[in-house]
Amino acid sequence: MPVVDKHNVGTPTWMDLMTTDLEKARAFYGALFGWKFLIGPKETGYYTMCQLDGRNVAGMGQRPADAPFPPAWSLYFEVDDIDAYASRVRKHGGHVGMGPMDVMEEGRLAFCSDPTGAHFGMWQSKKHQGAKLVGEPGSMAWHEVNTRDAARARDFYAAVFGLEPKKMEGMEYWTLHKGPQTVGGVFQMDSKWPSGVPAHWMNYFAVTDTDAAVKKVTEMGGKVHVPPMDTPYGRMATVTDPAGAAFTVIKLSPLAQNM
């Protein structure tokens, strides 16, 4: 679904980056994805809209110097009553760390963590109705929570957002569904993962050529953590930008495009 007017409740609606240097981030992602940028005024902290063909696809903000978290991409779920959803997060063992709060006239925001420690946001759209392009090169394409307690995370997101989990054969992985829409995945981290890696949402961006994207990442000062590899859903690689924010690039296969 490339062009999106409004996202369904309980599905990913937006991603943004909190980074240490907005100017460097714009240079990196502009070169990687061909983004153009709409930079907000000082009172927004110069929050930046990242655009393709004039459509918002992601955001960038300045990470506070005293923030207790590293530079990172965050995922937001669309909700229609953020106060009610914040109560659901707490009811099902999650934590609401910030909000719910108004973001000018754009919408209402809350930032949360699930019972296994993975952070995510919720967004109640007003003027800003999330990403207007999805699944196209340079836009968000997939989201999965990597956790050491997949069953607990699976049940949490199913209960909070009304999602149906479906287990994939041969692996500890569940896809989450909202009606006919495949929303994201839940992956069981095993002993092969370094012990210091916390539960987290991994976010994917679509690209036209994974190998070329990885080359551009390294040329622009980023790092490759999982080299390009082929999967039934596309050729993918996991990287970090120069500030250390992780994401995955993927050339989507026909199977992924039809999910």
Side-chain angles (χ1 to χ4, degrees):
M1 55 176 202
V3 177
V4 182
D5 291 323
K6 183 172 176 58
H7 293 266
N8 294 325
V9 169
T11 70
T13 187
W14 189 240
M15 282 169 44
D16 66 12
L17 173 71
M18 288 291 111
T19 188
T20 51
D21 190 321
L22 275 171
E23 187 174 349
K24 287 184 179 179
R26 287 191 289 264
F28 175 84
Y29 289 99
L32 180 61
F33 294 135
W35 287 348
K36 304 299 182 184
F37 302 103
L38 186 63
I39 302 173
K42 183 177 181 179
E43 55 266 30
T44 70
Y46 305 107
Y47 189 88
T48 299
M49 291 294 182
C50 311
Q51 299 186 324
L52 286 173
D53 299 325
R55 296 184 177 94
N56 293 335
V57 293
M60 293 182 186
Q62 182 70 41
R63 172 184 169 273
D66 59 350
F69 55 85
W73 281 98
S74 295
L75 169 67
Y76 297 81
F77 287 87
E78 181 73 28
V79 297
D80 54 3
D81 183 342
I82 202 163
D83 296 276
Y85 274 87
S87 295
R88 292 171 76 166
V89 166
R90 297 185 186 100
K91 175 183 176 182
H92 294 286
H95 175 69
V96 180
M98 181 176 71
M101 58 185 284
D102 291 317
V103 182
M104 299 176 290
E105 300 301 316
E106 302 300 322
R108 301 200 74 213
L109 167 74
F111 205 71
C112 312
S113 57
D114 70 27
T116 74
H119 296 277
F120 66 95
M122 298 189 297
W123 180 254
Q124 183 177 341
S125 296
K126 292 183 180 177
K127 284 187 177 180
H128 175 60
Q129 296 196 343
K132 293 296 186 178
L133 198 65
V134 173
E136 294 293 310
S139 68
M140 64 185 195
W142 184 245
H143 318 273
E144 66 192 12
V145 60
N146 298 319
T147 172
R148 299 182 194 277
D149 192 343
R152 193 175 185 193
R154 172 202 67 203
D155 292 347
F156 170 82
Y157 291 103
V160 171
F161 295 115
L163 306 177
E164 179 189 0
K166 297 180 182 180
K167 191 175 185 301
M168 296 185 70
E169 281 191 41
M171 61 189 301
E172 291 299 299
Y173 194 103
W174 288 263
T175 50
L176 302 171
H177 302 261
K178 188 80 169 184
Q181 183 179 351
T182 307
V183 169
V186 182
F187 179 74
Q188 176 69 47
M189 297 165 67
D190 58 22
S191 59
K192 296 177 183 177
W193 288 71
S195 60
V197 177
H200 61 280
W201 276 92
M202 173 57 67
N203 298 295
Y204 290 58
F205 288 99
V207 293
T208 56
D209 184 326
T210 300
D211 296 84
V214 165
K215 183 179 179 184
K216 179 62 71 174
V217 166
T218 57
E219 288 174 352
M220 295 296 295
K223 294 181 179 179
V224 180
H225 295 269
V226 179
M229 62 180 180
D230 292 313
T231 77
Y233 302 97
R235 187 163 174 81
M236 63 180 69
T238 299
V239 301
T240 51
D241 69 20
F247 59 98
T248 294
V249 291
I250 183 170
K251 180 180 180 180
L252 295 168
S253 72
L255 176 61
Q257 291 170 340
N258 293 326
M259 286 181 68

